[in-house]
Amino acid sequence: MASVIIVGTQWGDEGKGKIVDYLAENCEYVVRSQGGSNAGHTVVVDNVKYKLRLLPSGILHKNKVCVIGNGVVIEPKIFLSEIDSLIEKKVNISNLRISDRAHVLMPYHKILDELQEEDLGENKLGTTKNGIGPCYMDKASRLGIRIVDLMNKEVFTKKLKFNVELKNKLLKKLYNHDGVNYDEILKEYLGYADRLRAYVADTTTILNKAIKEKKNILFEGAQATMLDLDHGTYPFVTSSYPAAGGACTGSGVGPRKIDNVIGVVKAYSTRVGEGPFPSELFDDVGQFIRDKGGEYGTVTGRARRCGWLDACVVKYASYVNGLDSIAITRLDILDELDKLKICVAYKYNGEVLDGYPADLDILSKVEPVYEEFEGWKTSTRDIREYDKLPENAKKYLKRLSEVIDTEISIVSVGAGRDETIIVKNIF
């Protein structure tokens, strides 16, 4: 039996969906514990591409219990659209469970998200405008509507009325917006409630019973460490806790019941939205990586900022998450490069920094200290054993492991489920 947390170690888009999909074969349960529909995972199975936003990647395996935990904020329209899309593709979703404690994302959350971002002007955060932040704001303010509330018509009606009145005051007085229609939202969401009801459960009890029964459980992270509300490059972060600790609070499973934490590391760096990015590339190499890697957002289609692999970020993520090992993804994207670099330290005012700076003014001015590597100039796509990787590729990976003081357990050399090298067994 093992309970394993998968976390992103950079700014997201590391390929967590691929790693979760691969490891789910050996699990009975797959859990999504935080975030919302702003978190896109792309998984390729039998040459079919699946773009998931709320559903755990394990849904693409038969007979896996897939859980959406209490830490997730759920937009019913998108959730049901995902379900319908999978049903069309003959994917079995009968084992899907939603926590009754998860919060519901409402139409006014999306409107507020867009208006607040516009109001920030030059100080904008680069939000996806999916309403995630305002929904978590309501949760923290104890004004939120949970799935369990949506299941109770009387409770939902009362809570919705209060929220609509409150939000309309804000929309009209602060933003000169017409506000939202209570009756329309009530009708729409009661319709969603009827369809959601079959999936709602006390998932905390389900998961803890599964652990007691010695089942293998995989906790699937959304976003990544550098977007964590506490530990990321604040304020250019998400509104939840993508670090390993968030998997515990977002699922109702205590930290002492976790056996293994795996950090997913893209073989280069990318970032979406605003905020400092020390190893960012603005040249032809950066554009090559973007085009070769298809570095455009799953949800938004936005071009991702690309750069050299930043080991300072990954080392910090190893501290924060207590990583047992790392899974390297997208190594194949670098196959054609003549030279590669890894950022192994930051210099500020001529001195090497110890740790990862919280001060974004400092972070925006640091000088990356690079180590250069010879490229391997050959395809890695068909390699399935670590020892058979090109020597220069192994040197590149070994140096990353040394800098972050964390061993490598998986290397991914393509998007397909089979394009995976297992260095160390997880289950």
Side-chain angles (χ1 to χ4, degrees):
M1 181 276 288
S3 295
V4 178
I5 296 175
I6 304 295
V7 296
T9 60
Q10 295 150 302
W11 285 278
D13 309 311
E14 296 95 349
K16 296 180 294 297
K18 150 74 189 274
I19 300 301
V20 170
D21 173 71
Y22 183 87
L23 293 176
E25 182 68 38
N26 297 304
C27 298
E28 288 87 4
Y29 291 76
V30 181
V31 186
R32 167 81 182 274
S33 54
Q34 48 73 220
S37 60
N38 60 334
H41 284 167
T42 300
V43 180
V44 180
V45 180
D46 297 329
N47 294 318
V48 178
K49 185 178 289 187
Y50 298 86
K51 293 189 176 184
L52 306 174
R53 296 176 65 174
L54 280 165
L55 298 180
S57 300
I59 198 75
L60 301 177
H61 287 268
K62 294 181 180 178
N63 305 317
K64 309 297 179 184
V65 179
C66 288
V67 173
I68 297 179
N70 54 275
V72 179
V73 293
I74 298 173
E75 183 176 357
K77 184 177 181 179
I78 289 176
F79 175 80
L80 293 169
S81 175
E82 277 194 68
I83 285 179
D84 291 340
S85 175
L86 292 181
I87 290 173
E88 277 185 25
K89 291 182 172 72
K90 310 299 182 185
V91 176
N92 178 25
I93 50 103
S94 62
N95 285 333
L96 181 62
R97 301 289 181 267
I98 307 171
S99 172
D100 50 7
R101 289 177 168 86
H103 278 245
V104 183
L105 194 144
M106 307 299 294
Y108 46 76
H109 291 137
K110 299 182 81 168
I111 295 171
L112 283 167
D113 199 0
E114 185 170 350
L115 292 172
Q116 287 169 359
E117 181 75 350
E118 289 175 1
D119 211 33
L120 288 173
E122 293 182 356
N123 297 311
K124 65 179 181 177
L125 301 174
T127 172
T128 59
K129 302 178 184 178
N130 279 286
I132 310 302
C135 188
Y136 277 114
M137 286 170 65
D138 273 2
K139 179 178 180 176
S141 299
R142 292 157 292 182
L143 299 172
I145 296 174
R146 300 181 298 166
I147 289 290
V148 69
D149 303 322
L150 183 59
M151 295 300 104
N152 185 321
K153 182 177 180 180
E154 184 178 344
V155 172
F156 176 66
T157 300
K158 182 179 178 181
K159 288 196 171 187
L160 177 64
K161 190 173 184 61
F162 172 79
N163 268 282
V164 167
E165 289 176 355
L166 189 66
K167 298 302 187 294
N168 277 346
K169 286 180 184 178
L170 180 62
L171 288 168
K172 291 175 181 178
K173 293 183 178 180
L174 184 59
Y175 295 109
N176 196 29
H177 188 279
D178 291 338
V180 296
N181 186 289
Y182 165 77
D183 292 321
E184 289 178 1
I185 296 174
L186 179 64
K187 182 180 178 180
E188 178 184 359
Y189 274 68
L190 287 178
Y192 295 148
D194 290 337
R195 290 198 61 193
L196 291 172
R197 200 175 305 277
Y199 306 104
V200 177
D202 175 2
T203 56
T204 296
T205 298
I206 289 172
L207 292 173
N208 280 278
K209 281 185 176 179
I211 291 171
K212 193 172 183 179
E213 293 167 3
K214 301 189 182 305
K215 304 293 185 183
N216 285 339
I217 302 177
L218 198 60
F219 295 84
E220 172 182 351
Q223 286 100 22
T225 305
M226 302 314 293
L227 296 176
D228 187 272
L229 187 58
D230 276 346
H231 297 288
T233 47
Y234 187 91
F236 302 105
V237 293
T238 192
S239 301
S240 61
Y241 301 98
C248 295
T249 56
S251 64
V253 172
R256 294 183 65 185
K257 296 179 179 179
I258 302 301
D259 302 296
N260 203 338
V261 182
I262 302 172
V264 183
V265 184
K266 188 181 285 185
Y268 48 93
S269 299
T270 62
R271 180 167 193 170
V272 172
E274 309 299 322
F277 185 3
S279 68
E280 186 170 7
L281 290 168
F282 300 95
D283 57 11
D284 291 343
V285 176
Q287 189 60 48
F288 169 83
I289 291 173
R290 184 178 298 109
D291 292 338
K292 180 79 184 295
E295 293 296 349
Y296 299 89
T298 301
V299 174
T300 64
R302 289 186 296 181
R304 295 172 185 146
R305 300 157 65 189
C306 296
W308 293 121
L309 179 54
D310 189 337
C312 300
V313 166
V314 184
K315 184 176 183 179
Y316 174 69
S318 188
Y319 289 156
V320 169
N321 295 291
L323 297 183
D324 294 289
S325 67
I326 57 173
I328 307 289
T329 62
R330 316 223 78 192
L331 185 69
D332 55 298
I333 303 302
L334 306 179
D335 286 348
E336 299 174 36
L337 294 179
D338 294 318
K339 304 280 186 179
L340 300 96
K341 294 181 181 181
I342 295 178
C343 172
V344 297
Y346 296 151
K347 276 187 178 180
Y348 180 69
N349 288 339
E351 295 185 4
V352 175
L353 295 180
D354 183 22
Y356 195 87
D359 189 330
L360 297 197
D361 184 57
I362 293 176
L363 189 59
S364 66
K365 297 174 182 175
V366 296
E367 175 191 347
V369 178
Y370 288 115
E371 290 184 8
E372 188 170 272
F373 300 80
E374 294 292 330
W376 42 94
K377 301 291 288 181
T378 186
S379 175
T380 57
R381 291 291 294 270
D382 295 325
I383 297 173
R384 299 294 178 266
E385 296 177 31
Y386 187 83
D387 288 341
K388 292 183 179 179
L389 283 170
E391 285 302 313
N392 286 344
K394 286 189 285 187
K395 288 178 182 177
Y396 182 77
L397 297 176
K398 181 183 178 183
R399 184 56 180 146
L400 171 65
S401 179
E402 289 173 348
V403 174
I404 66 173
D405 194 25
T406 307
E407 65 180 348
I408 297 170
S409 55
I410 298 171
V411 179
S412 173
V413 291
R417 190 179 280 172
D418 65 319
E419 294 174 316
T420 308
I421 299 169
I422 298 299
V423 185
K424 175 187 175 183
N425 287 323
I426 305 302
F427 294 102

